[in-house]
């Protein structure tokens, strides 16, 4: 168990300004004990660790819900909590931009190079979804006394962002390509 301070690029520093963090080693019983002590008074547990790793550490939803029934368990994943990619790693560029087709939509043609993408758009939009789910779960807990699992996935968030272009494509319209630097237009 050690405290971490400072460092990181400007986007990291701005995004994490004012936060306090604690590095906990889940591979050691002392680390699990520290986390469980924190969870005993916490409203929400937010994690982006893949399900297999959480289960191995005994930090999966089912394990923690049995011990902390009022806890809101918020899971941020790349591809969701079920399916063939459930334990695959994934990041903003791959799970949100590439797997959903947004990356292709931003190109002006098949021959055009991939444009540079601002980092974090998928991360941020998915985090906003998760924050909304957490708010609803807290409201539910105030009414029922019960915590619950909420999850947001980069891939699902990207598919939701593609709803309009995908609807156009399904309706027989051409794939709406970019008309220049990061200008995405609809047909």
């Amino acid at each position: 168990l050690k405290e971490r301070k400072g460092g990181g690029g400007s986007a990291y520093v701005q995004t994490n300004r004012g936060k306090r963090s604690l590095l906990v080693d889940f591979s050691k019983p002392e680390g699990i004990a520290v986390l469980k002590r924190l969870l005993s008074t916490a409203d929400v547990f937010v994690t982006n660790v893949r399900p297999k790793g959480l289960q191995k550490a005994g930090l999966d939803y089912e394990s923690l819900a049995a011990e902390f029934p009022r806890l809101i368990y918020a899971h941020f994943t790349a591809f969701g909590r079920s399916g063939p990619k459930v334990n695959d790693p994934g990041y903003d560029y791959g799970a949100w931009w590439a797997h959903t087709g947004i990356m292709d939509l931003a190109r002006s043609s098949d021959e055009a190079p991939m444009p540079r993408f601002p980092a974090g758009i998928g991360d941020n939009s998915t985090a906003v979804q998760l924050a909304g789910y957490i708010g609803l779960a807290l409201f539910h807990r105030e009414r029922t006394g019960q915590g619950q699992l909420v999850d947001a996935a980069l891939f699902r968030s990207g598919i939701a962002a593609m709803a309009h272009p995908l609807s156009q494509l399904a309706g027989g319209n051409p794939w709406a390509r970019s008309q220049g630097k990061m200008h995405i237009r609809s047909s």
Side-chain angles (χ1 to χ4, degrees):
L1 180 70
K2 26 183 196 175
E3 215 171 314
R4 248 177 114 176
K5 293 187 179 208
S10 62
Y12 177 85
V13 171
Q14 290 172 29
T15 302
N16 293 290
R17 190 176 86 211
K19 292 181 185 175
R20 295 182 306 167
S21 15
L22 186 65
L23 182 61
V24 178
D25 187 347
F26 298 125
S27 69
K28 297 184 177 163
E30 301 86 21
I32 297 292
V34 167
L35 178 64
K36 288 192 174 184
R37 192 168 61 240
L38 291 168
L39 291 176
S40 69
T41 60
D43 289 308
V44 182
F45 174 63
V46 180
T47 182
N48 68 344
V49 176
R50 289 177 270 168
K52 190 175 181 181
L54 290 167
Q55 194 167 30
K56 181 179 177 184
L59 299 174
D60 55 297
Y61 171 69
E62 292 74 19
S63 298
L64 291 182
E67 195 169 344
F68 307 103
R70 289 182 49 82
L71 185 68
I72 307 304
Y73 188 106
H75 199 182
F76 188 115
T77 64
F79 298 104
R81 294 182 46 84
S82 62
K85 292 184 152 302
V86 67
N87 281 303
D88 285 2
Y91 301 93
D92 184 274
Y93 290 125
W96 197 84
W97 285 98
H99 276 81
T100 62
I102 295 171
M103 187 177 281
D104 186 61
L105 190 64
R107 295 190 315 163
S108 57
S109 73
D110 286 339
E111 293 75 35
M114 287 293 172
R116 288 186 52 172
F117 298 104
I121 292 176
D123 289 335
N124 290 338
S125 63
T126 308
V128 168
Q129 288 178 351
L130 188 59
Y133 304 154
I134 290 168
L136 289 170
L138 287 166
F139 179 76
H140 174 80
R141 188 185 70 189
E142 287 304 309
R143 297 283 173 108
T144 67
Q146 291 297 306
Q148 63 181 292
L149 166 70
V150 294
D151 77 290
L154 286 165
F155 181 71
R156 277 197 319 262
S157 172
I159 292 297
M162 288 289 287
H164 187 72
L166 289 173
S167 296
Q168 288 182 307
L169 189 63
N173 296 304
W175 191 240
R177 287 288 179 107
S178 169
Q179 298 301 301
K181 290 187 178 187
M182 285 306 295
H183 174 77
I184 301 172
R185 82 167 171 87
S186 316
S187 303

